[in-house]
Amino acid sequence: MGKKTATAKRSSAGLAVNIGIAEADRAAIAQGLHRLLADTFTLYLTTHNFHWNVTGPMFNSLHDMFMQQYTELWNAIDPIAERIRALGYPAPGSLAEFARLSSLPDAPATPPKALEMVRILAQGHEAAARTARELFPRVEQAHDEPTADLLTQRLAVHEQTAWMLRSLLED
């Protein structure tokens, strides 16, 4: 009983994690979710920054749209982190970790013009969608349906939001 098996790694509390997913799969999935969490947090912070700093003739509509988007992103952070914990691994939670793990750049130090904000956010949502999609082969191989469901939900949001943002950039 004291031995670790491929499916029963001990948690930080000393309890075995045996949810029917091999330890190697859980570790790889948790690492992918670390990247998705970092992308989500970085995109949240950038979107909130742009909400505060948008100016110009589209101020009202972009200010409101950015608020809806950062609220959705904020509400997505906890389920991603909790899925990492359910897999038996700690969730990253520092700005340094997020900066290291994220595929997105930090928000510009000087707020860009409104349409550049829209372009940056569209690219951020596309990047987050790619990060989520990269995880699917491992998740499917491990028969990790809860993570697959989470990824499907995140993909739908990121792809739809990217489309809506790109639509604002068309002439």
Side-chain angles (χ1 to χ4, degrees), residues 8-39:
K9 179 184 179 214
R10 299 231 175 251
S11 70
S12 58
L15 302 173
V17 177
N18 187 357
I19 58 174
I21 301 173
E23 183 177 339
D25 288 330
R26 286 188 297 106
I29 292 166
Q31 282 301 107
L33 288 172
H34 284 179
R35 291 187 299 277
L36 182 60
L37 181 60
D39 280 1

Side-chain angles (χ1 to χ4, degrees), residues 107-124:
T110 302
K113 299 286 185 190
L115 289 180
E116 180 63 10
M117 290 177 175
V118 170
R119 186 190 64 74
I120 289 168
L121 294 177
Q123 290 175 340

Side-chain angles (χ1 to χ4, degrees), residues 45-84:
L45 199 55
T46 299
T47 307
H48 211 148
N49 174 319
F50 291 172
H51 165 79
W52 293 326
N53 291 300
V54 68
T55 59
M58 296 176 62
F59 169 80
N60 245 6
S61 59
L62 290 179
H63 185 75
D64 289 345
M65 183 178 70
F66 293 163
M67 182 172 65
Q68 291 171 10
Q69 291 174 4
Y70 79 66
T71 300
E72 192 286 326
L73 290 162
W74 177 256
N75 289 327
I77 291 168
D78 207 47
I80 298 167
E82 289 180 355
R83 185 63 196 151
I84 294 166

Side-chain angles (χ1 to χ4, degrees), residues 41-43 45-46 49-50 95 98-99 102-109 120:
F41 190 85
T42 302
L43 190 53
L45 199 55
T46 299
N49 174 319
F50 291 172
L95 292 176
F98 288 149
S102 183
S103 67
L104 283 68
D106 197 5
I120 289 168

